[in-house]
Amino acid sequence: MRRLLLAGWLILLSFSAHGVIETYQFDTDVQRARYHHFIEELRCPKCQNQNLSGSDSAISKDLRRQIHQMIMDDKSDIEITQYMVARYGDFILYRPQFNAATAVLWLTPLALLLLGLLVWWRMAATRAKPKLLSDQALSVTEQQQLKDLLDEENSASKDGGNK
Amino acid sequence: MQRLKLFIPLLVFVALAAMFFGVERRVQRGEYAPTDLPSALVNRPLPAFSLPALDDGRTLTNSDIQGEWFLLNVWATWCPTCHYEHPFLVALADQGVKIVSVDYKDNAKAAQRWLAEKGNPYVATLFDEAGDFGLDLGVTGAPETYLVDAAGIVRFRYQGALDQAIWGREFAPLIAGLAAPSAELSQ
């Protein structure tokens, strides 16, 4: 049983090993790391939601080759990003730069968070209201009323106890 | 007031349903395709190129084709939609529209045969075997058609096959706009 559970866990934990297998040669591990970073972070322009590493389309193949080429030519990260954005627009970046066209993408989560906080704050305020009222000191007449009620109660329970 | 609050989820649902229905109808009518990307090239100069011509292999550059407005059509023999689009391009060329083409990641022999058999609507065809110019154009597939003005500025990019409806809706108004300023200048 334990072994079965372990096997189940391992299946759940195994990360999806997607991505295409291409053999690109790199001189250093940094170049290899940069290449993998780029193909994970750039979106396939032909696909709706796949990065370059996960896509088998012809254009992704070309773009991977281009990235490898640019890395081997010692182009900086910014140069590679600018090259891609100049051709495919902000769409190609999974984390697009902040500008007028992408503002809605960046700001919507923040706006929703603020809205949620506002709703939470309003709800919390409504719930806290009765408590606040009870904290106020009682007026003289209210105190008298309370006293009368308590006296009534006490005498009633005494009577009940006697019976 | 408290009662009305109960209807908020329903109202949200109705609003969303109306929105999705509207988008879906535009997709069905072909007015909107969610997969189409805005081209990063629009209102920018056509990228520089130096490519062999498909027919005789002479090197063509921007100065060989620019000077008046033209269409730049990206096609390939491996592209089924290009088969569908081709007769319309031939018809456009017959009307006097200048069409330059990019034979994108293709086999030269097959492409030459295609033009010989189906008619050649192009004033020139750039043979982009490796797809480098395609990359510079931001091509994601074929067919794609770019409208380039007399100054060599890309005005519009259409992804997919051209036909009469798309021509009338997307290209004709832009081309009328291109023609107007030059007419004013010549007066």
Side-chain angles (χ1 to χ4, degrees), chain B residues 103-122:
Chain B
D103 185 22
Y104 177 61
K105 300 183 73 166
D106 207 357
N107 174 297
K109 285 263 152 47
Q112 284 162 351
R113 206 179 318 128
W114 160 301
L115 292 182
E117 282 169 10
K118 295 160 86 79
N120 184 354
Y122 309 122

Side-chain angles (χ1 to χ4, degrees), chain A residues 19-20 22 24 35 38-40 42-68 84 88 91-92 94, chain B residues 104-105 135 139-141:
Chain A
V20 278
E22 277 166 341
Y24 281 123
Y35 171 78
F38 270 111
I39 66 172
E40 291 296 328
L42 295 180
R43 189 194 327 225
C44 156
K46 190 72 184 164
C47 325
Q48 282 301 282
N49 194 6
Q50 250 183 330
N51 54 16
L52 290 183
S53 93
S55 165
D56 228 356
S57 69
I59 187 71
S60 296
K61 218 170 281 177
D62 285 3
L63 289 179
R64 285 194 297 266
R65 195 189 59 208
Q66 184 67 25
I67 291 168
H68 173 251
M84 293 296 167
Y88 295 98
F91 180 89
I92 198 163
Y94 264 117
Chain B
Y104 177 61
K105 300 183 73 166
L135 216 59
V139 165
T140 61

Side-chain angles (χ1 to χ4, degrees), chain B residues 66-147:
Chain B
Q66 280 170 209
E68 53 184 329
W69 73 262
F70 63 94
L71 297 182
L72 186 71
N73 178 247
V74 180
W75 64 282
T77 53
W78 45 260
C79 146
T81 319
C82 303
H83 284 267
Y84 164 79
E85 181 186 46
H86 199 80
F88 181 71
L89 294 177
V90 173
L92 273 185
D94 285 345
Q95 290 166 31
V97 174
K98 178 181 172 187
I99 313 175
V100 178
S101 82
V102 180
D103 185 22
Y104 177 61
K105 300 183 73 166
D106 207 357
N107 174 297
K109 285 263 152 47
Q112 284 162 351
R113 206 179 318 128
W114 160 301
L115 292 182
E117 282 169 10
K118 295 160 86 79
N120 184 354
Y122 309 122
V123 295
T125 295
L126 312 168
F127 184 56
D128 185 21
E129 192 170 15
D132 290 335
F133 186 49
L135 216 59
D136 285 343
L137 286 171
V139 165
T140 61
E144 286 190 14
T145 305
Y146 296 76
L147 174 63

